[in-house]
Every structure is written in C-alpha cells, then in structure tokens.
Amino acid sequence: MGAIVPLLWTLILLSVNMVQARSRPDTINIGAVMSYGTVVGGVARIAMEAAATDINADPDFLGGSRFALTFHDSNFSGFLGIVGALQFMEADTVAIIGPQNSGVAHVLSHLANELHVPMLSFTALDPNLTPVQYPYFIQTAPSDLYQMSAVADIISYFGWGDVVAVFSDDDHNRNGVSVLGDQLARKRCKISYKAPLPPDPKATRSDVEAALATIQLIESRVIVLHSNMASGLMVFDVAESLGMMESGYVWIATSWLSSLLDSNPSFSSTTAKHLQGVLTLRLHTADSGNKAAFESRWNHLSNNTIGLNPYGLYAYDTVWTVARAVKKFLEQGNNISFSDDTKLNGLGRGTLNLKALTIFNGGQELLDNILHTNFTGLTGPVQFNPDRSLIHPAYDVITVLEDGYKTIGFWSNYSGLSVVPPETLYSKPPNRSVVTQRLNSVIWPGGNTSTPRGWVFRNNGMQLRIGVPRRVSFQEFVKEVNGTDVVRGYCIDVFLAAIKRLPYALPYRFIMVGDGHHNPSYDDLVNLVAEEVIDAAVGDIVIVANRTKVVDFTQPYIESGLVVVTSVRELSSSPWTFSRPFTPVMWAVTALSFLVVGMVVWILEHRINEEFRGPPRKQIVNVLWFSFSTMFFAQRVHPMSSLGRMVIIIWLFIVLIITSSYTASLTSILTVQQLSSPIQGIQSLITSEAQIGFQVGSYAKNYMIDELNIASSRLVALGSPEEYAEALESGRVAAVVDEQSYIDLFLRNNCRFSVRGEQFTKAGWGFAFQRDSPLAIDMSTTLLTLSENGELQKIHNEWLSKKSCSSQASSTGSEKLQLKSFWGLFLVCGISCILAILAYLLSALRKFCQEFTETSDSSSAGSSRTRQLQTFLTYMDSRKDRSRSGSQRQRADETSIH
C-alpha cells in the first residue's frame, strides 16, 4: 500500500504536465511594424531578430513553444502600417511591437483596445498617447515628456528665455513641441516662434528656406529642432547656406540626431564639422556586462552595415519584455485563445475580411504581466511606474565637434543635469536644486567657448527706436538740445551709462514724443511701446500697475512717490513762544511729577530732617520750593535717608533729560523758520474739498481719481513750475500733488512753499521695453551694477543734488515734544517713588509695632484699634530723636531704615 501512493502521485503529475503541454501552442505569434528604411527601423529589426533568436535558443523558456516574431515594413506610410497591423490581428497575434510612428500609433491603439492586443513601442513616444485613452498601448522607452523636460532644463541652465521651435508638422513632433512649451513655462521661458515643416517625405528645400528666413528676422537665436531625420538634415543644410550655423546661434536637436550619429559613423566623420556646436540628446543606457557583450556581437549581427544606437537596445529589451510576459501568462495556466468580435458582424464586403479580426481572450492578463515586468536588460532596469512610464528616464547630453561628438553631461528625472552618470545618483536623495545643475564646457557654433547670448535685435540688428518724452518743464530729467538730435538730462545719462556696461553693442536712435508745447501723456508713451511703434521708452516713466500689464520695465533706477506741496506762512514770534516745545499734556505731566516727587521726599524725610518739619504752612512752602528747585539743581535741602537720596538721584537724572530736550527744541523753534498751513497732508487735502493741481502727463491724476476717490472736477492740470507757483499763490489750487523728484526741483527757488506730510505712494522710475524683450533683463542687471558701484549716485548728484527749501523749514506741530517720547522716564520715576514709600512704611510699621507692644494695656479690641491708628499717625508725625540711640551703630541703622 505504501508503494501505491507515490505511484499515483507520479501518474497525476504526468497527466497534468501532458495536459499543460497540449494546451501550450506550438507557436506564439508576435508582430512588429517598423519602417526598415530608416536608421531607427533598420537597427531595431536587427536587434529584435537577435532577441527572438536568443529566446528560442532556450526551448525550455516557453515550455517548448516557439517565439515567432513576424515583421512588416510600413515603408514610411501610415496607411501601410495600419494594413500590416490588421494582417497581424487576423493571424491570432498576441502582441504587436510598434508602430514606429506616433500618428499611426494613435489609430492602431483604438484597434488594440477593441481586440485586447497589447501594443508596445519604443519609438512612438508622443506624450499624448496616455494610458487612460489607450490602455493597451505601452511605451517601452521614456516618453518625449522627459526629453522635452531635459531640453527645458538645458535652456534654463544657460540662461536663455526665448526659443524657436522648428518641427515636422505631424502628431509626434507637433505634440512634442507642445509639451516643450509647457516645460519651458515652468522655467519662466517660452517658445517665441514655431516653424512647422511638412512631414517627411513631403518637406522640400524651399519649405525649409522659407521657415529659416523668417527665423532670421526675429530676436531669438536658440533653435530647438524636433523632426524626422530627413527633414532635420535638410534644415541643417539650409541653415549652413544661410549662415545660421555661425557664432551667435544655438541649435538643440532632439534624439533623432544622436541616433543618426551613432548608427552612421561615416556620416559623423564627414558631416559633423558642419554641425559643430549643435547640442543633442541620446537615450541613456547604463553600462553593464550584458550591454557590452551585445555591442561586441553587433558587427556580426549587422554585417557592419549600420551602427548600434540606443533604440536597438530598447528594441531588444522590448522583445524580451513580451517573451517574459507570455512565459508568465502560460505559467499561470492561461490558454492563448481568440473569439469573434460581434461588432464586426455584417461588416467586410468584398475582399475586406474584417470578420477575421478576433479578440484575444487573454489580452488583459498579458497586459498586466507586461506592466509588472521587472528584470535587468541591455538598457538597465526594465520596470514600469504606476503611470506606465519606465523608471529612471535619463538622457546623455551631447555636443557635436568637428571630428565627432562627445558627452558633456547627463539629464535624469531624478537629479536634473549632472556630469556624473544618473545611476550613481539614484542611491542619494533626489536633488533638482538650481545650484547642483551642471554641464561640462561646450564649443558652440562658430567655435566659440563662451555661452551665446541667445538673441539679437529685431530686423537683423537695425537701430532700436527709443522713445523719449519731449518735456517742456523739469528738463533736468529729459532735455532736447535745440536744433540738434542730442538729448540730455538725468534719465538720459542713466540710460547711456547702462548701455555702456552691456556686454554687446546696442544700436539705437532717439525718437522724441510730444508736441513741444505740453508734456506728453506717459500712458500714451508706454502704449506706443506696447503697440510696437517704438521699441523702448526712456525717461522719467513711473512704474505703475496698469503700465506693467502691457510692457516690461527695468529695475527702478530712482525711487519716487507722490507728495503734497502747498503755500505756507511763517509763524511770527509771540510772548508764549517758550511754551511751544512741550505739548499741554507734557506740561501737565511734568508739573504733576514735580509735586509728586516733592511729596514723596517730604514723607521720607519728615521724621528725621529738620528742614521738613514745622508749621504746615512752612512745610508746604518747603515742599514746593524743594521740588521745583530741582529743575535748576539748586535745592538747598539735602535728604538724610537712603530712600530719599535714591528718589532724588533718579528724579535729577529725569530732570536733566527733560530740560536738555526742552532747551534743544526751544533753540530750534527760535532759530529755524516755522511754517504753517491748514493742509497737513493728503488726508486733510482729501477732506478739504479744495482744488488740487497736478502735472500734465503725470499718473497722479488717475491715481487721485481711481485710488483716492477725488472728484475729477477738483483737479487742475498744471504744466510747469511757474504754473505751480502762480496757482498756489493766487489760490486757484490749495495744493499740488506731484512726485517727490519734481517737487524737490520746484522747491529750489520757491521757498515760500513746503511739502506737507509724508509721501503717500511708493514708486520708481524705469525704462519700458516691449513684452518679453531680453533687453529689459540685461538693462536691469546693468542698472543694479551702476547702483552698487556708485555711478547712479554720481549722476544724481550732477543733476539733482542742489539743496531744496524743504530741508530748511519745519512745519508747525512737528517740533513739539510729546509725552510718548518720555513716558518711560516718568514710569521709572513713579515706580521708584512707590517702592520707596512702601519700603519706608513697612519699616516704620515694624518699628511702631515693636514699641506699641511694650506699652499696650488691656483695653478692648475696638478701642485698641482706634488708639493704635491714632498712635501710629502721631508716631509718624513725631520727630525721631537721634540722640536717644544707644550707640552710633544704632543711629546708623535707624538712619538707613528711614
């Protein structure tokens, strides 16, 4: 019986194996749709054939089944690619590798969704092929989303802001450029111009010439080329003939160029010198023993007809991904079976046999196995993230040299740009900080080693049209020299000093804006820049919110803000001028403090100091005399108690500060001109309902109407300093609201007017440039340099440093000393008085209790308390006899206590 059980188990296992063997198909059909006439397609076919051979070399890998990989050449045709995929799906194909083109992938993915046939592509890398819309489509190489992120990081790394995109106008390249725009926006950069080309093979040389001729006329010189190989090579050929491969240009080609260089060594050696300085990206594959072994086999596999590029490695790993998923699918006990699609019933007349298209019943299980793939292939770890993207997408950054090309760094989604391979950084925390981004040196087009500026002036370097306001007043800022084209002034000198520090020549010419009779509207001047009538505006232009919406401003080169200036009258001297230094509250608190200190000293000294004793009238007079005499430090009575001395020392220190402050303030009042006006600032002006003047062309008018809600009927336009003076003196306006810089100049020769209150706005002047002009950034940098080295201040001193009257007069009320400036001193004085009184009372009470206990009798409690109080008051009023002490030490103790 014991020998029968093992025999039964052996028979059962043999039966199961025989059933599984019968359920495994002899052949597992896999289709591949590629264009073999392309570099990528030719390399991919050789690599996939090698992978299929390696899989079938081990008959046990698929349990005796043969891995049958069938190829279809789409020959650059999307239609032929679709036909080939249909043929595969008629032949019970469990998976399709391809297509090569993203446009075809969009179409075939709908077919794959319907028939549940997984479709894997390492070349159709359009970011819009999302798993949500196309669940059966899998990208087995990093999506172009990551390639465009790498391009955006390179552009940001070198400090360029605007780029031009040249691309083949098909689904793959068009969508890639769209993603590039999104990635650049995250870096505060942008695509300033898009130049689409007809897709291969329709693009002609004339198409390319027209596109590049337009690019020559715009500012940006950073060109991203995202196209197919044929179009890309044509672009570089035309660019060389147009002089666009010379110094000043930047070319960044996507991975198509690196694939061409890798796979065509003869091309790289003969043509690379025409592409010197071009940057390109290559899919990064980590070095490994398996990769090196495959590279050593490549010449034999390809018969030395084509070089290996990264797409060949991804093609090899894609075949193995399908094989491993099928192996797991069979090991799970699944059968490869197909069923008719009921949606196709009645379709397919004539030779179109649509009924032959069948649904792969195990498609979902095979898809899941593919997505859970986890092995190390020729490209490195093959594993998918939850969003179906490959883990650790990375690229090599390559620059083309005269004799070939070299790698200047790497990009990975993990750490950005670096000069060390990405796999060495995966063990460290991710770091995309700007300070850690790094690439090795580059030799740019034209052989330059310095980073190109990345842009030029519009219209091939024609002179910039610089608008300048033709001012009729305050010409210290902008002044047109009569009869000449020369413009002078503070603003002009700042502009000229800034352009001298630019690292390049700036051709320009000034264009005067205005009729010469009235100051021009500065809003209109800014709008001329926004409408591209002029390229920039230079002058005393205030940077305000509504202007920043239409133009770009530089860093402010001078601060300014609105102030109120009005007529003032000089305060005449009066018999009560001496009272001006203190406010009434300050006078009252000071007088009260003298009385309080006098009372405190009297309490502390009354029992022991003969000067504080006598008839009440005499004591009151002595207290008043003592307290007020401390103001002049002329007190004749000297305190005898330690507590009294402490209070007096603190009080004398406070009196010293108060009298010094009073003396300084009174001196200022008597020696500095005192001015008075009913308007104390912008708030009193708003509530006064009086007329208000403003400078013609200034933003002050709109500000007062929009922000301060002042009626426009109250505003009076004034055109010059002379009109300011006339309007203020005649009473036509109660005040003028203008910028501090103008008012400082106005007050030079108009000392009868004065600024009232503080600046109620904060603004600055800047130069206006057209939206996204790189000049705005460069000029801001030079303005900061001028500020740091002191040149801005020198220009300011030359034009605007003359002394103004506003610094020679003070407004009424501002010179008065407030209680808030001294309340800390009075607080210290009060605390010291309270502590001294408490210490004195506690000591006296203790002494009294000791003496009272010795003489107390047995009277009632109620009468005892009354008598105690009366006795205590008498005790406090009595003079302490210092001669009754038994010893000198006791006298000293009593003196210290009191």
Side-chain angles (χ1 to χ4, degrees):
M1 190 69 180
I4 296 176
V5 174
L7 180 60
L8 290 175
W9 277 111
T10 301
L11 293 174
I12 293 173
L13 290 175
L14 289 174
S15 300
V16 171
N17 290 334
M18 291 176 65
V19 172
Q20 290 180 347
R22 286 195 298 270
S23 64
R24 289 178 183 265
D26 294 333
T27 302
I28 299 173
N29 296 320
I30 308 294
V33 180
M34 304 293 290
S35 293
Y36 303 130
T38 64
V39 170
V40 171
V43 170
R45 179 175 183 177
I46 297 172
M48 287 191 288
E49 288 176 341
T53 301
D54 293 343
I55 292 169
N56 291 324
D58 182 4
D60 295 331
F61 182 77
L62 293 177
S65 298
R66 179 177 173 273
F67 192 84
L69 182 61
T70 307
F71 293 93
H72 174 80
D73 185 5
S74 61
N75 195 25
F76 303 96
S77 171
F79 172 73
L80 293 180
I82 295 173
V83 170
L86 289 172
Q87 291 176 344
F88 286 141
M89 292 180 180
E90 291 177 355
D92 294 342
T93 301
V94 299
I96 295 177
I97 298 177
Q100 185 173 335
N101 182 276
S102 294
V104 179
H106 279 278
V107 176
L108 293 182
S109 293
H110 292 285
L111 190 61
N113 292 347
E114 177 66 24
L115 302 180
H116 296 181
V117 177
M119 185 176 294
L120 300 86
S121 179
F122 49 88
T123 54
L125 303 177
D126 181 359
N128 289 349
L129 288 165
T130 61
V132 175
Q133 185 177 7
Y134 307 113
Y136 279 87
F137 182 81
I138 306 169
Q139 293 173 332
T140 57
S143 162
D144 274 350
L145 168 66
Y146 301 105
Q147 181 169 209
M148 295 308 170
S149 296
V151 172
D153 280 355
I154 292 172
I155 292 170
S156 176
Y157 173 79
F158 288 110
W160 302 313
D162 292 356
V163 303
V164 173
V166 180
F167 59 97
S168 297
D169 196 9
D170 54 28
D171 287 343
H172 174 80
N173 296 291
R174 185 191 315 112
N175 293 338
V177 169
S178 177
V179 172
L180 174 61
D182 297 337
Q183 297 302 313
L184 286 173
R186 297 174 60 185
K187 302 291 182 179
R188 295 188 176 183
C189 306
K190 67 182 181 67
I191 299 176
S192 58
Y193 182 74
K194 294 181 180 180
L197 301 174
D200 286 351
K202 297 179 180 180
T204 64
R205 187 177 182 87
S206 60
D207 295 328
V208 176
E209 288 175 345
L212 295 187
T214 303
I215 293 173
Q216 284 184 303
L217 298 178
I218 63 179
E219 289 181 336
S220 179
R221 285 295 182 263
V222 180
I223 304 171
V224 177
L225 180 55
H226 187 50
S227 67
N228 301 317
M229 290 184 182
S231 297
L233 291 177
M234 189 184 304
V235 168
F236 282 125
D237 185 40
V238 174
E240 184 181 14
S241 66
L242 295 177
M244 297 177 67
M245 300 302 297
E246 302 297 330
S247 177
Y249 282 89
V250 176
W251 288 88
I252 302 176
T254 49
S255 58
W256 66 266
L257 179 57
S258 64
S259 299
L260 183 62
L261 296 174
D262 286 334
S263 298
N264 196 336
S266 61
F267 167 82
S268 62
S269 61
T270 58
T271 312
K273 61 181 179 180
H274 302 302
L275 303 178
Q276 179 181 359
V278 175
L279 295 181
T280 184
L281 295 174
R282 176 172 57 195
L283 286 167
H284 176 75
T285 55
D287 293 333
S288 65
N290 291 336
K291 176 183 173 182
F294 186 78
E295 290 174 341
S296 65
R297 296 170 54 194
W298 182 257
N299 289 336
H300 173 71
L301 294 173
S302 64
N303 294 322
N304 292 319
T305 57
I306 193 170
L308 177 64
N309 62 48
Y311 290 102
L313 303 178
Y314 277 99
Y316 185 91
D317 284 350
T318 299
V319 175
W320 271 99
T321 299
V322 175
R324 289 175 180 273
V326 171
K327 178 177 184 296
K328 185 176 180 181
F329 177 84
L330 296 174
E331 290 175 347
Q332 291 169 340
N334 297 311
N335 295 323
I336 295 178
S337 62
F338 297 85
S339 59
D340 293 336
D341 188 348
T342 58
K343 296 179 182 179
L344 299 177
N345 291 338
L347 298 178
R349 297 178 180 178
T351 59
L352 188 61
N353 186 19
L354 295 180
K355 285 192 65 175
L357 299 176
T358 55
I359 297 175
F360 177 27
N361 296 325
Q364 183 62 51
E365 290 75 10
L366 181 60
L367 177 66
D368 292 340
N369 290 341
I370 293 173
L371 295 177
H372 288 87
T373 297
N374 187 358
F375 71 97
T376 300
L378 301 183
T379 60
V382 179
Q383 185 179 351
F384 294 94
N385 292 311
D387 63 353
R388 297 192 179 189
S389 63
L390 281 175
I391 63 170
H392 302 323
Y395 293 86
D396 301 337
V397 183
I398 297 172
T399 180
V400 182
L401 305 176
E402 287 186 350
D403 56 350
Y405 53 91
K406 73 171 184 176
T407 300
I408 61 170
F410 306 90
W411 181 93
S412 71
N413 194 44
Y414 191 78
S415 57
L417 297 172
S418 67
V419 294
V420 296
E423 51 270 14
T424 63
L425 301 175
Y426 293 147
S427 59
K428 302 177 182 179
N431 188 357
R432 296 294 299 272
S433 172
V434 175
V435 297
T436 62
Q437 305 299 290
R438 186 184 172 192
L439 291 174
N440 290 321
S441 59
V442 182
I443 298 178
W444 301 99
N448 292 334
T449 56
S450 58
T451 302
R453 188 172 73 225
W455 62 274
V456 296
F457 301 110
R458 287 178 180 267
N459 302 321
N460 284 326
M462 293 179 62
Q463 288 184 330
L464 264 72
R465 300 159 298 176
I466 307 296
V468 178
R470 182 179 277 117
R471 294 197 58 89
V472 297
S473 63
F474 297 112
Q475 293 189 350
E476 290 85 351
F477 298 104
V478 178
K479 179 180 181 181
E480 181 184 18
V481 179
N482 293 331
T484 67
D485 295 331
V486 179
V487 185
R488 295 295 311 278
Y490 168 72
C491 301
I492 302 302
D493 282 4
V494 172
F495 175 75
L496 295 177
I499 63 174
K500 287 180 182 178
R501 286 191 165 269
L502 291 174
Y504 46 85
L506 178 66
Y508 67 92
R509 60 188 175 94
F510 289 129
I511 298 176
M512 304 305 298
V513 178
D515 58 11
H517 301 289
H518 303 88
N519 291 334
S521 168
Y522 280 60
D523 287 337
D524 293 343
L525 177 61
V526 170
N527 287 333
L528 290 177
V529 179
E531 295 167 2
E532 299 188 3
V533 176
I534 55 179
D535 298 307
V538 171
D540 45 337
I541 307 171
V542 183
I543 304 173
V544 292
N546 66 313
R547 295 173 183 173
T548 59
K549 296 176 181 178
V550 295
V551 297
D552 284 348
F553 280 95
T554 62
Q555 172 81 13
Y557 59 88
I558 187 174
E559 292 185 359
S560 188
L562 295 177
V563 295
V564 176
V565 63
T566 184
S567 300
V568 292
R569 62 181 179 84
E570 183 178 354
L571 290 177
S572 58
S573 300
S574 70
W576 303 101
T577 301
F578 71 89
S579 65
R580 288 184 187 173
F582 286 169
T583 61
V585 175
M586 182 66 183
W587 277 114
V589 173
T590 303
L592 181 62
S593 299
F594 277 103
L595 294 177
V596 170
V597 171
M599 290 297 298
V600 170
V601 173
W602 178 83
I603 293 173
L604 298 176
E605 297 290 323
H606 178 64
R607 297 190 65 212
I608 62 175
N609 195 329
E610 189 64 32
E611 296 293 334
F612 290 94
R613 299 192 61 81
R617 181 175 177 275
K618 176 184 176 182
Q619 294 183 50
I620 293 174
V621 171
N622 286 343
V623 168
L624 294 176
W625 171 257
F626 174 82
S627 59
F628 286 103
S629 64
T630 57
M631 181 184 300
F632 311 100
F633 306 98
Q635 66 278 6
R636 294 177 300 172
V637 180
H638 300 288
M640 300 178 64
S641 66
S642 299
L643 293 175
R645 292 169 182 169
M646 180 193 72
V647 171
I648 289 299
I649 289 174
I650 295 175
W651 174 244
L652 290 178
F653 174 73
I654 295 173
V655 169
L656 174 64
I657 295 176
I658 292 176
T659 55
S660 299
S661 302
Y662 174 86
T663 303
S665 180
L666 182 60
T667 301
S668 174
I669 291 173
L670 296 176
T671 57
V672 177
Q673 183 184 21
Q674 301 297 302
L675 304 176
S676 176
S677 171
I679 296 176
Q680 300 299 316
I682 186 61
Q683 292 302 324
S684 61
L685 183 61
I686 293 174
T687 58
S688 68
E689 298 297 330
Q691 299 295 102
I692 305 171
F694 68 92
Q695 183 181 173
V696 174
S698 170
Y699 81 102
K701 176 182 179 181
N702 291 336
Y703 182 86
M704 287 188 285
I705 294 175
D706 299 336
E707 303 297 333
L708 302 181
N709 296 319
I710 296 176
S712 58
S713 58
R714 294 179 55 192
L715 304 180
V716 178
L718 304 173
S720 66
E722 293 74 21
E723 287 190 47
Y724 286 10
E726 184 277 328
L728 289 170
E729 288 182 337
S730 65
R732 187 155 58 101
V733 297
V736 173
V737 173
D738 206 350
E739 294 180 62
Q740 181 73 62
S741 300
Y742 300 122
I743 296 303
D744 287 342
L745 293 177
F746 170 69
L747 293 178
R748 286 183 183 177
N749 302 315
N750 295 277
C751 297
R752 58 194 180 280
F753 308 107
S754 176
V755 174
R756 312 302 292 177
E758 303 292 333
Q759 285 187 11
F760 56 91
T761 65
K762 294 293 183 182
W765 293 355
F767 304 138
F769 291 89
Q770 293 177 6
R771 270 292 196 189
D772 302 318
S773 171
L775 260 178
I777 299 175
D778 289 354
M779 288 292 286
S780 293
T781 303
T782 57
L783 287 174
L784 288 173
T785 302
L786 293 175
S787 177
E788 292 170 357
N789 63 20
E791 288 190 46
L792 270 186
Q793 186 61 44
K794 291 179 182 178
I795 300 173
H796 184 277
N797 293 341
E798 179 182 351
W799 288 96
L800 310 174
S801 64
K802 294 181 180 180
K803 191 175 182 181
S804 66
C805 296
S806 60
S807 62
Q808 302 174 3
S810 61
S811 60
T812 180
S814 61
E815 75 281 356
K816 290 182 177 294
L817 299 176
Q818 306 284 335
L819 177 62
K820 62 183 180 181
S821 302
F822 299 94
W823 73 268
L825 293 174
F826 289 117
L827 178 63
V828 171
C829 178
I831 292 175
S832 63
C833 291
I834 292 173
L835 293 178
I837 291 296
L838 291 176
Y840 172 76
L841 291 177
L842 290 175
S843 176
L845 185 61
R846 181 175 59 83
K847 294 281 187 183
F848 170 76
C849 290
Q850 291 177 353
E851 296 182 10
F852 179 78
T853 301
E854 296 174 357
T855 59
S856 62
D857 52 19
S858 59
S859 60
S860 63
S863 60
S864 175
R865 292 193 183 91
T866 302
R867 181 173 297 179
Q868 287 177 7
L869 179 60
Q870 293 175 349
T871 306
F872 178 71
L873 294 176
T874 303
Y875 174 79
M876 292 296 295
D877 186 56
S878 63
R879 184 179 184 280
K880 184 173 182 180
D881 189 359
R882 298 171 61 87
S883 63
R884 294 172 56 187
S885 300
S887 65
Q888 185 65 28
R889 180 174 181 178
Q890 290 177 338
R891 289 196 301 271
D893 292 341
E894 291 177 357
T895 302
S896 64
I897 291 174
H898 293 287

